[in-house]
Amino acid sequence: MKIIAVHLANDFSESSKVLKQLIKGWTKNNIDTELYMGRGKKGFLSTMTQTTTNYFWYPVFKNPILKLLFIITSQFILFTKLLFTLKKSDTLYINTVLPFGAALAGKIRGCKIMYHIHDTSLTPKIFKLFLFNVVKWTANEVVYVSDFLAKQEPLKIKSNVIYNVLEKDFVNQCKGIKATQKESKIVLMICSLKANKGVSEFLQLSHLNRNYTFKLVLDASQKEIDNYFKLEFLPDNLVIYPKQEDTHPFYKEASIVLNLSDTRSSVETFGLTILEAMAYGLPTIVPPVGGVVELVKEGENGFLIDSKNIPLLTRRLNELFQNTALYQKMSATAKEYSRFFCEEYFESESTRILLN
């Protein structure tokens, strides 16, 4: 068996990290693997040494019209490449629903086609409909990152759920971190620079809670950050950071981690930053719907609160900072919960599904 793994945009997103972990597990189990991905910016897949990497043309643009146009063009190029290189005996493993050109080539060549589905919030809607119709027509099997996503996007295809997990290297850096309340009161959020990720709500919380430090780590350049906040008044207790390759220092100093995604427009299908926070024994506050509720249990290792409910968010922050016993209990539970989401589970499940 040979796996042809396909990914559109290499970056520091959850989907790129998951594919890196998948390839690591397959090659560890001596499964022949080859990777096709868009040539572009640096990301988690840039350091892959376990497999041969083939690149196809894919420029990254912020403009939604240009972005859509170049996705379509890149998929025509990918389709052409794979149509003349795939063998019927190959298994085509497509990461995210975007590389539809690979699926069409695989269907023509008669390959087994598997999709790893990470997200449901794709725009425009007509493009999303097209992509999921390609999945329905071409795929033999799909893998979802959460039960929530499997129910949100049901397909009449053999399906599996494999939760995203923490890499061993990440877990090792968390070892020895005690579940204790820190002297510094730091509230951390790591997210994309998008309004529906709760950036404005985080800013509101920082204005209302001047006795705490708020740290916002954004998947954006300093120039993009400056432009986004140029008309905003930023309080002294808010510190904003551009894209970071190493987030460990932020988790080590933080006390609480937030996810403030707007449930009306950006429902989280999993939430890797929340899992990373849990591994550090950090209580978290997340939206009450989506894949994150499979990580956070109300009152046990965090709270489930709508991002628009600023008064309740403030009340829970104060409660966690002022009630040491509650904080210690939630912190210990968070760390305990995170142990299930390990590489051993991920490698075992992904290999089992592939060879089944």
Side-chain angles (χ1 to χ4, degrees):
M1 171 194 280
K2 182 176 182 179
I3 302 175
I4 306 298
V6 183
H7 186 66
L8 182 62
N10 178 32
D11 51 23
F12 292 103
S13 65
E14 287 186 28
S15 59
S16 294
K17 179 176 277 191
V18 167
L19 184 56
K20 177 185 175 183
Q21 291 171 316
L22 284 167
I23 293 173
K24 182 180 174 183
W26 295 334
T27 53
K28 184 179 175 181
N29 286 279
N30 299 313
I31 299 173
D32 190 13
T33 307
E34 195 170 339
L35 172 63
Y36 280 79
M37 71 175 178
R39 186 183 298 278
K41 54 187 179 179
K42 187 177 179 182
F44 287 119
L45 293 164
S46 301
T47 56
M48 291 298 302
T49 56
Q50 298 98 330
T51 185
T52 301
T53 301
N54 304 283
Y55 295 95
F56 57 89
W57 181 85
Y58 175 59
V60 179
F61 281 87
K62 293 287 184 184
N63 182 289
I65 296 174
L66 284 177
K67 185 176 181 179
L68 181 60
L69 176 63
F70 285 119
I71 285 176
I72 293 169
T73 306
S74 74
Q75 291 316 291
F76 176 76
I77 294 169
L78 178 60
F79 169 82
T80 306
K81 276 179 176 282
L82 290 176
L83 188 62
F84 296 102
T85 56
L86 285 174
K87 297 177 182 177
K88 188 175 182 179
S89 58
D90 292 336
T91 294
L92 196 59
Y93 200 96
I94 302 173
N95 196 41
T96 78
V97 297
L98 288 169
F100 64 89
L104 297 175
K107 184 74 173 178
I108 292 171
R109 299 294 292 178
C111 301
K112 179 180 180 181
I113 299 173
M114 299 180 70
Y115 266 90
H116 203 115
I117 302 178
H118 298 258
D119 200 3
T120 184
S121 56
L122 296 163
T123 55
K125 285 187 178 181
I126 192 169
F127 185 53
K128 175 185 172 179
L129 183 63
F130 165 75
L131 291 173
F132 274 91
N133 277 328
V134 171
V135 177
K136 289 175 187 177
W137 182 59
T138 62
N140 302 100
E141 196 166 350
V142 295
V143 177
Y144 295 99
V145 298
S146 65
D147 284 321
F148 163 78
L149 185 56
K151 292 171 184 174
Q152 190 79 3
E153 298 292 348
L155 299 165
K156 293 180 180 179
I157 303 168
K158 185 178 179 182
S159 61
N160 315 270
V161 173
I162 303 180
Y163 291 110
N164 296 344
V165 298
L166 299 170
E167 292 181 285
K168 271 186 182 176
D169 290 345
F170 190 97
V171 175
N172 287 337
Q173 291 195 55
C174 304
K175 286 181 178 177
I177 304 294
K178 293 184 178 180
T180 57
Q181 202 167 27
K182 303 176 179 76
E183 279 189 34
S184 56
K185 293 178 169 56
I186 297 175
V187 182
L188 173 67
M189 188 164 82
I190 302 174
C191 66
S192 304
L193 182 54
K194 297 176 182 176
N196 61 12
K197 291 298 181 181
V199 173
S200 295
E201 286 76 14
F202 194 78
L203 180 58
Q204 286 182 59
L205 285 170
S206 66
H207 277 293
L208 292 170
N209 298 276
R210 296 299 184 96
N211 47 331
Y212 309 139
T213 298
F214 287 77
K215 294 199 172 185
L216 181 59
V217 180
L218 295 166
D219 185 15
S221 67
Q222 189 60 55
K223 183 179 179 180
E224 289 170 326
I225 292 170
D226 292 341
N227 186 57
Y228 188 91
F229 290 101
K230 63 184 178 183
L231 299 178
E232 297 281 0
F233 170 69
L234 304 180
D236 293 338
N237 63 322
L238 173 65
V239 188
I240 303 175
Y241 298 86
K243 183 183 298 182
Q244 302 289 313
E245 290 187 34
D246 181 12
T247 54
H248 286 281
F250 295 94
Y251 290 122
K252 283 177 183 176
E253 65 178 6
S255 299
I256 301 168
V257 172
L258 305 184
N259 180 311
L260 300 177
S261 292
D262 187 348
T263 58
R264 298 150 194 82
S265 59
S266 179
V267 178
E268 295 288 346
T269 54
F270 185 73
L272 190 58
T273 57
I274 295 304
L275 181 56
E276 290 175 344
M278 287 165 57
Y280 269 97
L282 300 176
T284 56
I285 299 177
V286 303
V289 297
V292 284
V293 303
E294 294 167 50
L295 295 173
V296 179
K297 306 303 176 188
E298 173 69 21
E300 293 184 28
N301 62 331
F303 293 111
L304 306 175
I305 305 172
D306 190 285
S307 63
K308 301 297 182 185
N309 195 340
I310 301 297
L312 182 55
L313 285 167
T314 295
R315 193 156 68 246
R316 291 305 191 195
L317 285 176
N318 289 327
E319 191 176 343
L320 281 168
F321 280 126
Q322 293 167 15
N323 188 331
T324 303
L326 175 66
Y327 185 93
Q328 300 278 54
K329 177 189 169 186
M330 282 196 171
S331 182
T333 305
K335 201 167 185 68
E336 185 61 33
Y337 276 16
S338 73
R339 291 189 176 120
F340 168 77
F341 302 90
C342 61
E343 270 193 354
E344 288 79 7
Y345 149 79
F346 189 78
E347 288 178 8
S348 172
E349 282 297 287
S350 60
T351 304
R352 177 187 65 78
I353 290 168
L354 197 64
L355 299 178
N356 189 7

